[in-house]
Amino acid sequence: MTDTVTNIIFIVFFILMILTSILQTESNNKLEKIKKEIYELETDIMQKTLEQNEMLVKFIDESSGSHEKWLDKHMD
C-alpha cells in the first residue's frame, strides 16, 4: 500500500515538474518575443529621430546657408 502511494506521489511530482518546465519555456519564449519587439521599436524610434534631425539640418542649411548664420540670427 505505501509503495503504491509513494509511486503515485512520485508520478504526480514528475508530471508537475514537466508542466513547470513547459510553462517556463513558454514564458521564456514570450519574453524573448517581447524583447525583440522592444528592440525593433527602439530601432524605429532612433531611425525616425535621425531622419527628423537630418530634415532639420537640411532646413537650417537651406534657410540660412550655414549653421553659424542661423545661430547668430537666433541668438541675438
Side-chain angles (χ1 to χ4, degrees):
M1 179 71 180
T2 60
D3 287 341
T4 307
V5 170
T6 303
N7 286 339
I8 291 174
I9 289 173
F10 279 117
I11 290 172
V12 168
F13 182 71
F14 183 72
I15 291 172
L16 286 174
M17 286 179 55
I18 291 174
L19 289 174
T20 303
S21 176
I22 291 171
L23 288 173
Q24 185 176 10
T25 302
E26 288 179 12
S27 176
N28 287 342
N29 288 342
K30 288 179 183 178
L31 183 61
E32 287 301 318
K33 286 180 183 178
I34 291 171
K35 285 180 180 179
K36 184 177 179 182
E37 289 177 13
I38 289 173
Y39 176 77
E40 289 173 357
L41 287 171
E42 288 175 339
T43 304
D44 288 345
I45 289 170
M46 288 188 293
Q47 182 64 35
K48 296 291 184 191
T49 302
L50 181 63
E51 290 172 3
Q52 289 177 349
N53 288 345
E54 289 173 350
M55 288 173 33
L56 182 60
V57 168
K58 184 178 178 183
F59 173 76
I60 292 170
D61 282 343
E62 289 175 355
S63 64
S64 67
S66 72
H67 302 295
E68 291 79 16
K69 287 182 186 176
W70 187 86
L71 284 174
D72 289 342
K73 182 177 172 182
H74 289 86
M75 292 301 265
D76 293 335

